[in-house]
Amino acid sequence: MAFVISAGCVRKWRCAYRWFCKLDLDDKVPHHSTFSVNRLGRFRESEILRHIFERVVAALIDAIE
């Protein structure tokens, strides 16, 4: 069974990604590896990514309860 994503879903995902990155519609989107490079380099010693992850998970749990 193939997983099919509609064009409308892709457009919404792209808009959400731009919103997350604080980009306007005409701004250049950073290379997909930018987040990984920062996570592995700049944020290795920081707790900020763990904190963000925990907040997102908590918000998702609250949303489904």
Side-chain angles (χ1 to χ4, degrees):
M1 181 176 172
F3 184 72
V4 179
I5 301 173
S6 70
C9 183
V10 171
R11 283 191 296 272
K12 288 178 184 177
W13 183 86
R14 288 181 179 165
C15 285
Y17 181 76
R18 287 181 169 279
W19 172 84
F20 177 78
C21 295
K22 297 183 180 178
L23 298 172
D24 288 331
L25 293 176
D26 56 346
D27 288 340
K28 186 176 178 181
V29 175
H31 190 266
H32 66 85
S33 66
T34 301
F35 290 110
S36 294
V37 169
N38 284 323
R39 178 179 54 86
L40 296 173
R42 291 174 45 186
F43 301 120
R44 182 179 296 267
E45 301 299 322
S46 174
E47 293 290 316
I48 190 68
L49 294 179
R50 181 188 56 77
H51 178 72
I52 292 170
F53 177 76
E54 289 173 355
R55 295 279 308 265
V56 169
V57 170
L60 291 170
I61 291 170
D62 288 344
I64 61 173
E65 289 182 340

